[in-house]
Amino acid sequence: MINDLKRAFFNIFQQEPEACYFAPGRVNLIGEHIDYNGGWVMPCAIHAGTWLLIRFNNESLIRLHSHNFSANAAVPINNNYSKNGNEWFYYSLGVIKALQQEFNLNISGLDLYYFGNIPIGAGLSSSASIEVLTAYAISDLYKLDIPPLDMVKMTQRVENLYIGVQSGIMDQFAVTYGQKNKAMLLNCSSLYHQEIDCNLGDYNLVIINTNKTRKLEDSKYNERVQECNSVLKILQTQINIQYLCDLSFTEWLQYQHLVKDKTLQKRASHVITENERVKNAAEALKKADLNYFGELMFQSHLSLKEYYEVTGVELDTIVDFCSNYYDVIGARMTGAGFGGCAIALLKKGKEKDFTQKLVSFYKEKIGYHPDVYIQEIGGGPTKIF
Ligand code: GLA
């Protein structure tokens, strides 16, 4: 594959690439819509990811091409790279702009060619993968020596301020710190993190793509962030907390009467119960109690459906099917929701039967087919050559 990418690079730029880098996508096992509320999440990096081939040029241009999209760009350096659309290359330009502004990156020109095998807009962080990859590659090439945590925070700022999605830190963190066969238990307020062996025994982690794509910029993502901020402001008039997840479930029961709006109450109920579920899920995974872990996944989905209202008929159809399939012990949506992917713990050896039955169930109800992938848990960014 790398040779094909090198050939494609040469065809576009008429020069060999200087170097090649890889960064993964991520899947979140549990802890959804928790990161921007300062609580616990449990993502892991996946094998699928993005590759970048790169070379310097002396033409004062940043040229961006992708195997996956026809849109490309040739942007003069030192302008402010204003964002005039939703094309993929703005994720890279935003990072290059941040590197120039925050890390004194001084460039004479760059040629970049991306290839990704993460389904786009599917909740597996194809965007964080491009952002972290760009930062990692350029930092290495120019010997900027950027500590990983600074890279995480910088790429999150790009997402928030340049792309315009008020996302939390989970995606960039998982992509940067992912480790093979480990789930990451991350506290999004202190950034304390712990790697947990992801020993799934007789089960596989299956990712099911609804094939309903969405762009977070256009979704209700920012609305949910605002709703949580509104609850926080109300509670802060009475209690000293910095994030919604600073409240335990018992404290929430004590104070929820302060929140009069029923919708806001539901949003907060999801956040506070989900945060508790992550802590329980971490204990379950450490003890390899997969049945309990799976049960928590189903509970998480229900809460995202009923209280947070970010699932939709496609994701619900998949999780409904899974809850009636004997050899699935847990399933839930993953990522932001509004379409994208679900995950399930499926007994090894049942892949074919599961896929056939799920595809026909889903097709009948939704009208098109879902995709099913068995994903391995991969590591963080690396230099390929
Ligand atoms: C998106 C965001 C993350 C996180 C999830 C929901 O992936 O980028 O920061 O909020 O949604 O858990």
Side-chain angles (χ1 to χ4, degrees), residues 90-113:
Y90 287 113
Y91 292 103
S92 319
L93 276 180
V95 170
I96 294 172
K97 179 176 173 173
L99 287 169
Q100 288 180 289
Q101 292 180 345
E102 298 176 28
F103 294 92
N104 300 320
L105 172 69
N106 199 344
I107 40 177
S108 60
L110 282 175
D111 292 335
L112 304 106
Y113 176 64

Side-chain angles (χ1 to χ4, degrees), residues 26 28 31-36 123 125 159 165 167-172 214 216 221 335-336:
R26 69 97 189 87
N28 189 19
E32 222 60 86
H33 289 276
I34 289 297
D35 56 354
Y36 53 85
S125 285
E159 189 79 36
V165 179
S167 51
I169 203 163
M170 172 174 73
D171 300 349
Q172 289 79 10
R214 82 287 176 277
L216 285 192
Y221 185 89

Side-chain angles (χ1 to χ4, degrees), residues 30 78 90 113 123 128 131-132 147 159-160 217 253 266 271 277-278 282-283 324 328 334 338 379:
I30 193 159
N78 282 327
Y90 287 113
Y113 176 64
E131 290 159 357
V132 170
E159 189 79 36
N160 294 167
E217 299 94 298
L253 294 181
K266 288 203 296 185
V271 169
R277 277 187 288 274
V278 180
E283 289 313 307
N324 290 313
V328 168
T334 186
F338 316 104

Side-chain angles (χ1 to χ4, degrees), residues 91-334:
Y91 292 103
S92 319
L93 276 180
V95 170
I96 294 172
K97 179 176 173 173
L99 287 169
Q100 288 180 289
Q101 292 180 345
E102 298 176 28
F103 294 92
N104 300 320
L105 172 69
N106 199 344
I107 40 177
S108 60
L110 282 175
D111 292 335
L112 304 106
Y113 176 64
Y114 292 83
F115 165 81
N117 61 2
I118 309 170
I120 315 284
L124 302 177
S125 285
S126 54
S127 51
S129 179
I130 296 182
E131 290 159 357
V132 170
L133 175 63
T134 307
Y136 181 85
I138 295 181
S139 163
D140 183 71
L141 218 53
Y142 286 87
K143 308 206 173 355
L144 298 180
D145 238 355
I146 304 178
L149 190 56
D150 290 355
M151 215 174 301
V152 169
K153 290 181 177 169
M154 178 196 68
T155 46
Q156 186 201 0
R157 273 195 298 280
V158 169
E159 189 79 36
N160 294 167
L161 304 175
Y162 184 76
I163 303 295
V165 179
Q166 301 309 309
S167 51
I169 203 163
M170 172 174 73
D171 300 349
Q172 289 79 10
F173 206 100
V175 169
T176 305
Y177 284 93
Q179 282 184 28
K180 203 168 163 36
N181 295 329
K182 305 272 184 190
M184 176 194 300
L185 176 66
L186 166 68
N187 184 292
C188 297
S189 100
S190 65
L191 299 185
Y192 164 83
H193 57 109
Q194 189 188 92
E195 276 64 43
I196 303 179
D197 283 335
C198 201
N199 184 358
L200 300 181
D202 289 343
Y203 291 83
N204 269 326
L205 179 67
V206 182
I207 299 183
I208 305 136
N209 191 347
T210 60
N211 284 327
K212 181 192 180 200
T213 55
R214 82 287 176 277
K215 271 200 171 293
L216 285 192
E217 299 94 298
D218 309 329
S219 76
K220 290 194 179 298
Y221 185 89
N222 285 348
E223 184 181 297
R224 293 292 177 277
V225 177
Q226 291 320 320
E227 287 168 339
C228 290
N229 284 339
S230 303
V231 178
L232 182 63
K233 285 214 178 79
I234 297 170
L235 295 174
Q236 280 173 331
T237 60
Q238 303 288 323
I239 22 174
N240 183 13
I241 50 170
Q242 198 189 346
Y243 292 105
L244 266 189
C245 289
D246 293 345
L247 281 186
S248 68
F249 183 62
T250 325
E251 286 166 325
W252 166 239
L253 294 181
Q254 196 181 334
Y255 292 108
Q256 64 176 350
H257 67 275
L258 297 171
V259 182
K260 306 286 178 229
D261 183 294
K262 291 288 170 225
T263 303
L264 293 186
Q265 265 203 17
K266 288 203 296 185
R267 303 300 187 245
S269 287
H270 163 73
V271 169
I272 285 154
T273 57
E274 180 80 351
N275 194 39
E276 301 282 324
R277 277 187 288 274
V278 180
K279 291 184 251 176
N280 293 336
E283 289 313 307
L285 195 59
K286 284 179 195 165
K287 288 192 232 146
D289 184 352
L290 293 179
N291 284 315
Y292 184 42
F293 192 91
E295 203 180 294
L296 291 164
M297 289 170 78
F298 281 127
Q299 285 176 19
S300 165
H301 186 85
L302 193 64
S303 175
L304 287 153
K305 178 184 175 197
E306 303 289 338
Y307 292 117
Y308 220 65
E309 298 178 278
V310 290
T311 58
V313 60
E314 298 83 2
L315 286 164
D316 292 339
T317 301
I318 289 170
V319 174
D320 267 5
F321 175 85
C322 288
S323 62
N324 290 313
Y325 189 89
Y326 182 76
D327 286 310
V328 168
I329 52 170
R332 58 182 290 276
M333 57 155 267
T334 186

